[in-house]
Amino acid sequence: MLHTHHLQPHLLFLSPHSHTVSFPFPSRTTTSHSPRFPVTSIRRGSFSLRFRNRGRASVTNAVANGGTEHQKQPVNRAYPFNEIEPKWQRFWEHNRTFRTPDDDIDTTKPKYYVLDMFPYPSGAGLHVGHPLGYTATDILARYKRMQGYNVLHPMGWDAFGLPAEQYAIETGTHPKLTTVRNINRFRIQLKSLGFSYDWDREISTIEPDYYKWTQWIFLQLLKRGLAYQAEVPVNWCPALGTVLANEEVIDGVSERGGHPVIRKPMRQWMLKITAYADRLLEDLDDLDWPESVKEMQRNWIGRSEGAEMEFCILDSDGKDKDIKIIVYTTRPDTIFGATYLVVAPEHPLLPSLVSIAQSKHVEDYVDLATRKSDLERTELQKEKTGVFTGSYAKNPANGEAIPIWVADYVLGGYGTGAIMAVPAHDSRDYDFALKYDIPICWVVMPDGKSVDFGKAFIGEGINVNSSNTLVGLDINGLSSKEAALTVIEWAEKCGKGKRKVNYKLRDWLFARQRYWGEPIPVIFMNDSGETVPLCETDLPLILPELDDFSPSGTGEPPLSKAVSWVKTVDGLSGRPATRETNTMPQWAGSCWYYLRFMDPHNSKELVGKAKESYWGPVDVYVGGAEHAVLHLLYARFWHKVLFDIGVVSTKEPFQCVINQGIILGEVQYMACRDQDGNLISADSPDLLNERKLEIIPAEKVMKSGDSFVLKENPNIRLHARAHKMSKSRGNVVNPDDVVSEYGADSLRLYEMFMGPLRDSKTWSTSGIEGVHRFLGRTWRLIVGSPLPDGTFKDGTVSVDEEPTLEQLRCLHKCIAKVTEEIEGTRFNTGISAMMEFLNAAYKWDKHPRSVIEAFVLLLSPYAPHMAEELWSRLGHKKSLAYVSFPKANPTYLKDSTVVLPVQINGKTRGTIEVEETCTEEEAFVLASRDEKLSKYLDGQSVKKRIYVPGKILNVVLDRKNSKVGVQ
């Protein structure tokens, strides 16, 4: 389900020499200087942060052709994060700081359940895209703890799946060994980033104690008729030996491995999600989800209202045969315009429709169709193809004989697997009819408007050419809606059709011919073939150990090789039986894991009622938009079933869903070489397709207007683009390298500062350097400057004095802004507010402890390691994790200052900012200290002062005693 991309954990750039690569971060392999601009600006809200590359040597240099390596240069750290971060990670783990009490929790306190879509532990480990969502949820979790909430913030592993099995087949390593190894690596990486997960609640879908309850849910579905077996056409990949979901098939080959995929009927377990279609649709309205996600689910469910109509097949003499094709249409008003029928290649009646003359053409076409996925077959832009079957059907409305075609754009699993084609009023049918010279009959005209007969009119209007007195149907002159109702009433009265609500949603294919998945807890009686569910007391049904996980090649799943496991007896009758050898799809374990986190150690039930009632539903669920449909839809389906049987108390599992954007690799600049080897613009008109783009290092690039050009030749325009991180592009950034050079807090802060959480963003090495310097400035403001040996003295430089009104106003504005932005998940502008505070604080002569402590608490959800260390240095013995988050005092949020014009001898010389309650003497002192005004007042004798509070200060100088030259 929640697969991450299997990415190479390094970011590669081509150096000035085509045979050299470079890494922006220190790595265990050869590296060279990363390409960077000397100056980069990032603007967030009203705050602008400017970074300057100081040429710090922080990575090793690779000599061309893989020659010798220079020693890594020492890194000048802005603060000692390399000591701070491991220290506090050990503290949190030793003290179980973020453990959420299990049985002794105070349920009178408000709860906050914030959840990440748990990852698939791939061999590549984390890349910097993962911490984007994880940091966001961690900020929310830490913030809510400090507000007094009971917080549930767990982590686990979606660990079954095809990638681990394929790796096992290729290497001979058992998938459990590689999966556990990958989990351990993921866990270490997550802990190194300081995420406040309750690791006592860690779960993995591959553990029997977990999948026991996945199997239990399957049995409940089976009891209620929601799980059944059927012969269905599936995407079968012979090379992988398994059925693939539509999204796992791209251009007729498997997404993993690029193996050919064909469509063939197989016995499969299905889950009747269609029984919940209306509820899945209706309950979307009450959810705090992105509207785009809700709309995607609505479209996937695809509810439509229409009619099923019967078309009688004609024999060679044009007489009715005792065979009828049933079609589903949402436009029964256009039935008089149906000039041909189309059946799906997998339609069960197709063999009986094919004439001898057309049999070879149809056979070849159907064979070709089996190699396409449903997605390919229904793509709107695809040219429609089809073959005439050689048979005809009778249009029930006008009695005319119309040809029956087979075409792959009709799916056997949608509607009835057959359509009536009305080319005059359907664009797809129109194109098909033109291509194959099929008649087009116009039966709907726009009301009061002319019609363009050069294309299909797909809108509603007034019916024409739609009358047949022989069958008693006349809809001429009726509106489309009235005509549709009339046709349905006529069809039901004559037995030629009926009203029908249809859904695009298909029942869920719930079986895979693979080893690495949950065993399905049913057996088949050898003597009768009867399907018998296991007793719940026999769960879990343990996945047997196998040495050979490879596909059988016959369609039999790998589990069929576990002969002693497959052969069993019925526990009740003692009769011999055979176990199901298909396994569950990866979606199974991820459909309900959020419930197990509520009660992970319960051996008697899936989740305790009291705990589910308290923690449910999930308050905030964060993950990628790629799971907007299937994972969320399947989880909602299972949750509703569990609601119906009393396991859960809520109708929906996730109250709020947030899709974080993706992080793209650094911008790459590309040019091309002509036939003589000279660089030319990447957008040159004579650029040939076979010419390859060449990456230009950033230090050789400059901006010119809206374009990027080559420094040495500005006439050469470069193509600048940031790509999704992928191993093939070599632009993957490993968080381990970033943490090593800049620290976890810098990575966390930078990923939040890059831009709005939900937007896609481009990685920039210079950007993280700037955020790292912000943390360094924070450290020095509070701890002080480093000693000559580079270390820092204990404690802080804060003072035990009362803050000034200016300091309080600055602090409380920051508190208000950071609080507001965390609540709105606008983390980037919250960071901007803290940067503005820091700039202001650097202008103060003294830093009161109460102000600094409040600022440290504001910083703690974002940069928890530094905040814990500063909190400790401020004299606190306990962690700040549960200290109350600062609250803004409205008194200090009012803008009570005014800009006061200052006149010297009646002429305005400048302005000063003063409090509304400022006295004349205070205003004069401020004017005397003002850089611009002081040159008029220093050493001058004041004759009198005229002060109107909030309006003006006029200083009249004694001209007799004034210095010469002052104007």
Side-chain angles (χ1 to χ4, degrees):
M1 183 283 282
L2 303 179
H3 278 218
T4 59
H5 300 289
H6 314 296
L7 303 175
Q8 181 72 25
H10 300 293
L11 174 54
L12 291 160
F13 284 87
L14 291 180
S15 79
H17 309 288
S18 61
H19 45 261
T20 307
V21 297
S22 61
F23 296 78
F25 303 110
S27 166
R28 296 178 183 84
T29 60
T30 33
T31 58
S32 74
H33 290 298
S34 62
R36 295 169 182 164
F37 274 138
V39 178
T40 301
S41 292
I42 294 180
R43 184 171 294 277
R44 297 290 181 268
S46 62
F47 181 80
S48 179
L49 181 63
R50 190 169 176 85
F51 306 121
R52 188 170 298 277
N53 183 357
R54 297 176 181 172
R56 180 178 56 163
S58 59
V59 293
T60 55
N61 298 312
V63 178
N65 297 317
T68 59
E69 295 183 22
H70 299 295
Q71 293 297 314
K72 182 177 178 179
Q73 299 300 314
V75 174
N76 297 320
R77 295 185 174 92
Y79 67 100
F81 64 84
N82 57 314
E83 300 170 10
I84 294 169
E85 293 180 352
K87 167 187 172 181
W88 287 101
Q89 288 163 17
R90 289 191 298 269
F91 175 90
W92 294 329
E93 185 160 1
H94 176 75
N95 292 280
R96 298 162 77 193
T97 302
F98 308 114
R99 175 182 173 271
T100 302
D102 198 6
D103 295 320
D104 54 345
I105 193 164
D106 180 4
T107 57
T108 63
K109 293 172 63 177
K111 65 92 178 179
Y112 191 73
Y113 186 0
V114 56
L115 182 63
D116 298 294
M117 292 184 183
F118 68 167
Y120 172 78
S122 69
L126 294 177
H127 60 76
V128 293
H130 292 101
L132 180 64
Y134 300 161
T135 303
T137 58
D138 196 59
I139 290 171
L140 293 171
R142 290 175 177 274
Y143 169 70
K144 289 295 184 179
R145 283 192 199 97
M146 297 172 77
Q147 286 195 319
Y149 284 73
N150 287 326
V151 172
L152 185 56
H153 188 40
M155 176 52 73
W157 317 105
D158 187 17
F160 276 127
L162 189 57
E165 185 163 348
Q166 282 303 110
Y167 183 79
I169 293 170
E170 293 165 5
T171 64
T173 308
H174 196 283
K176 183 165 187 178
L177 295 177
T178 57
T179 301
V180 170
R181 182 172 64 239
N182 293 345
I183 287 173
N184 290 337
R185 182 184 180 194
F186 263 66
R187 189 189 301 108
I188 289 170
Q189 288 183 298
L190 290 176
K191 287 185 176 181
S192 76
L193 294 171
F195 297 133
S196 61
Y197 295 124
D198 179 0
W199 288 105
D200 286 0
R201 293 175 181 260
E202 179 182 6
I203 58 176
S204 172
T205 57
I206 65 172
E207 295 302 326
D209 286 348
Y210 180 86
Y211 67 70
K212 165 186 177 178
W213 297 106
T214 308
Q215 293 172 336
W216 181 87
I217 295 172
F218 177 84
L219 293 181
Q220 311 316 305
L221 293 165
L222 190 61
K223 286 179 187 177
R224 286 154 182 81
L226 297 172
Y228 65 95
Q229 295 180 84
E231 286 277 332
V232 294
V234 297
N235 300 315
W236 170 251
C237 179
L240 297 179
T242 190
V243 172
L244 299 178
N246 287 336
E247 64 274 11
E248 295 175 302
V249 181
I250 300 174
D251 296 330
V253 298
S254 62
E255 181 183 27
R256 182 175 177 83
H259 304 295
V261 175
I262 62 173
R263 298 280 289 176
K264 77 172 194 176
M266 292 184 67
R267 179 187 64 84
Q268 298 290 315
W269 281 100
M270 307 292 293
L271 297 188
K272 203 169 185 179
I273 189 173
T274 51
Y276 282 73
D278 282 327
R279 288 168 62 183
L280 289 168
L281 197 59
E282 292 163 4
D283 292 344
L284 282 170
D285 294 338
D286 299 327
L287 298 177
D288 181 16
W289 290 17
E291 194 55 42
S292 60
V293 172
K294 293 199 281 188
E295 193 59 26
M296 288 169 70
Q297 293 220 350
R298 291 186 186 106
N299 291 336
W300 192 268
I301 295 167
R303 186 182 190 276
S304 63
E305 296 183 4
E308 284 185 351
M309 306 295 295
E310 293 183 356
F311 286 71
C312 191
I313 308 302
L314 301 176
D315 62 19
S316 57
D317 297 324
K319 295 181 179 180
D320 292 358
K321 295 174 66 174
D322 194 22
I323 304 175
K324 293 181 175 63
I325 291 180
I326 298 175
V327 306
Y328 172 75
T329 177
T330 58
R331 292 291 302 272
D333 57 305
T334 63
I335 190 167
F336 281 92
T339 58
Y340 65 102
L341 297 184
V342 182
V343 297
E346 55 273 12
H347 196 287
L349 289 180
L350 180 60
S352 64
L353 300 175
V354 181
S355 67
I356 295 174
Q358 291 295 105
S359 60
K360 176 60 176 171
H361 300 294
V362 172
E363 183 181 338
D364 290 345
Y365 184 82
V366 170
D367 181 63
L368 189 64
T370 63
R371 303 179 188 280
K372 299 179 182 179
S373 70
D374 289 355
L375 228 53
E376 293 174 274
R377 286 170 55 179
T378 56
E379 186 182 356
L380 291 177
Q381 305 306 319
K382 180 181 79 74
E383 183 182 5
K384 305 301 179 287
T385 61
V387 173
F388 176 46
T389 64
S391 292
Y392 292 82
K394 184 168 69 176
N395 185 321
N398 57 24
E400 294 181 3
I402 59 176
I404 304 172
W405 287 68
V406 57
D408 63 7
Y409 70 82
V410 176
L411 302 178
Y414 177 65
T416 64
I419 65 164
M420 66 176 205
V422 186
H425 305 294
D426 183 279
S427 298
R428 179 185 59 182
D429 298 343
Y430 182 86
D431 294 340
F432 192 93
L434 284 182
K435 181 176 181 179
Y436 294 107
D437 198 24
I438 300 172
I440 299 174
C441 178
W442 302 83
V443 295
V444 178
M445 293 293 176
D447 191 5
K449 299 178 182 177
S450 60
V451 64
D452 180 0
F453 291 102
K455 62 180 181 180
F457 171 61
I458 61 175
E460 296 184 348
I462 302 298
N463 274 70
V464 298
N465 302 325
S466 301
S467 176
N468 184 0
T469 56
L470 294 177
V471 297
L473 180 60
D474 181 1
I475 54 175
N476 277 337
L478 298 181
S479 68
S480 294
K481 284 187 170 59
E482 293 172 323
L485 293 173
T486 302
V487 171
I488 293 173
E489 291 173 1
W490 167 82
E492 290 179 334
K493 182 178 178 181
C494 299
K496 297 181 183 295
K498 62 181 180 180
R499 189 184 311 273
K500 180 73 174 178
V501 173
N502 206 14
Y503 300 89
K504 289 182 182 177
L505 180 67
R506 302 293 89 200
D507 280 344
W508 176 7
L509 177 62
F510 197 73
R512 295 290 185 270
Q513 288 65 50
R514 62 177 63 149
Y515 167 70
W516 194 232
E518 299 93 337
I520 296 176
V522 299
I523 58 175
F524 305 102
M525 306 308 299
N526 289 355
D527 53 5
S528 64
E530 178 188 2
T531 302
V532 178
L534 291 187
C535 293
E536 293 178 10
T537 54
D538 292 335
L539 301 180
L541 173 59
I542 302 292
L543 185 68
E545 294 288 335
L546 273 185
D547 295 325
D548 180 10
F549 331 100
S550 60
S552 64
T554 64
E556 284 293 312
L559 273 181
S560 62
K561 300 175 183 179
V563 179
S564 61
W565 180 83
V566 172
K567 292 181 178 179
T568 187
V569 295
D570 176 29
L572 294 177
S573 66
R575 291 150 54 204
T578 302
R579 294 194 191 279
E580 171 63 80
T581 53
N582 286 323
T583 54
M584 298 184 192
Q586 188 180 0
W587 303 100
S590 62
C591 276
W592 69 279
Y593 73 105
Y594 59 93
L595 294 172
R596 195 60 178 171
F597 278 137
M598 300 175 185
D599 197 7
H601 309 298
N602 192 332
S603 61
K604 296 182 179 179
E605 52 189 340
L606 184 151
V607 60
K609 289 188 180 299
K611 293 177 182 177
E612 184 281 327
S613 179
Y614 178 70
W615 286 116
V618 176
D619 293 285
V620 175
Y621 192 35
V622 177
E626 64 271 22
H627 306 300
V629 177
L630 294 182
H631 161 60
L632 291 175
L633 198 63
Y634 293 158
R636 294 179 63 220
F637 165 47
W638 275 30
H639 191 90
K640 291 182 183 301
V641 174
L642 295 174
F643 176 78
D644 289 347
I645 65 176
V647 174
V648 298
S649 58
T650 62
K651 293 192 300 181
E652 289 286 338
F654 315 116
Q655 184 55 39
C656 174
V657 167
I658 296 174
N659 297 135
Q660 85 270 15
I662 62 172
I663 294 182
L664 304 172
E666 291 218 40
V667 173
Q668 293 180 332
Y669 306 93
M670 288 165 283
C672 195
R673 292 193 183 274
D674 62 18
Q675 294 176 343
D676 298 325
N678 300 313
L679 282 173
I680 59 175
S681 296
D683 59 351
S684 297
D686 60 340
L687 186 63
L688 300 177
N689 291 333
E690 63 267 20
R691 292 183 184 160
K692 295 182 179 179
L693 291 170
E694 180 173 318
I695 297 177
I696 305 298
E699 60 266 21
K700 293 190 173 186
V701 177
M702 69 178 187
K703 192 165 187 183
S704 175
D706 294 331
S707 303
F708 290 95
V709 298
L710 202 61
K711 280 183 182 178
E712 60 187 26
N713 185 356
N715 292 322
I716 297 178
R717 296 178 305 280
L718 305 177
H719 179 67
R721 183 180 174 186
H723 297 273
K724 189 173 182 179
M725 290 187 183
S726 69
K727 184 167 61 176
S728 62
R729 289 192 178 275
N731 63 348
V732 178
V733 181
N734 185 349
D736 295 351
D737 296 333
V738 182
V739 170
S740 174
E741 185 166 358
Y742 299 102
D745 283 344
S746 293
L747 176 60
R748 291 169 59 112
L749 207 67
Y750 175 58
E751 295 214 355
M752 294 298 96
F753 190 62
M754 291 172 78
L757 175 63
R758 295 160 179 81
D759 292 358
S760 293
K761 296 162 278 284
T762 302
W763 180 267
S764 168
T765 302
S766 58
I768 195 168
E769 288 175 344
V771 169
H772 182 65
R773 282 196 287 275
F774 160 71
L775 288 175
R777 292 184 72 221
T778 301
W779 177 264
R780 292 189 298 276
L781 176 82
I782 299 172
V783 175
S785 299
L787 300 173
D789 64 356
T791 62
F792 294 86
K793 67 177 183 178
D794 294 337
T796 69
V797 295
S798 61
V799 296
D800 291 317
E801 293 184 6
E802 288 297 314
T804 65
L805 185 61
E806 176 194 356
Q807 290 171 332
L808 287 172
R809 283 186 176 147
C810 185
L811 171 66
H812 283 270
K813 286 181 180 178
C814 184
I815 293 172
K817 185 65 173 177
V818 171
T819 302
E820 179 184 356
E821 301 307 79
I822 291 179
E823 291 282 1
T825 63
R826 297 179 294 271
F827 305 113
N828 55 321
T829 46
I831 295 170
S832 295
M834 289 187 282
M835 290 177 168
E836 290 170 353
F837 171 88
L838 190 71
N839 287 341
Y842 258 95
K843 298 175 182 177
W844 302 342
D845 295 331
K846 295 180 180 179
H847 300 93
R849 181 182 301 273
S850 61
V851 173
I852 295 303
E853 286 185 342
F855 177 69
V856 168
L857 293 175
L858 290 180
L859 181 66
S860 65
Y862 292 87
H865 305 89
M866 173 180 278
E868 288 277 23
E869 179 66 19
L870 294 174
W871 190 250
S872 175
R873 282 171 170 264
L874 285 163
H876 301 280
K877 302 300 182 184
K878 294 183 178 180
S879 167
L880 54 64
Y882 295 93
V883 174
S884 294
F885 198 78
K887 292 183 179 180
N889 187 333
T891 302
Y892 301 118
L893 301 181
K894 298 174 182 177
D895 193 2
S896 58
T897 61
V898 294
V899 176
L900 187 74
V902 178
Q903 293 183 343
I904 308 295
N905 291 336
K907 188 172 183 178
T908 302
R909 296 293 187 179
T911 61
I912 56 175
E913 188 173 336
V914 300
E915 300 293 330
E916 288 180 342
T917 57
C918 181
T919 64
E920 178 183 326
E921 182 61 29
E922 290 171 336
F924 181 73
V925 170
L926 287 172
S928 301
R929 293 176 180 174
D930 183 82
E931 182 179 357
K932 185 178 180 180
L933 295 170
S934 60
K935 67 179 181 179
Y936 298 102
L937 298 175
D938 287 350
Q940 304 301 311
S941 174
V942 177
K943 186 175 182 180
K944 68 176 178 177
R945 298 187 303 228
I946 303 169
Y947 179 60
V948 180
K951 300 294 183 181
I952 196 168
L953 171 65
N954 186 5
V955 181
V956 180
L957 301 179
D958 187 348
R959 294 184 181 274
K960 293 181 181 179
N961 297 317
S962 296
K963 291 182 180 179
V964 177
V966 175
Q967 298 296 321

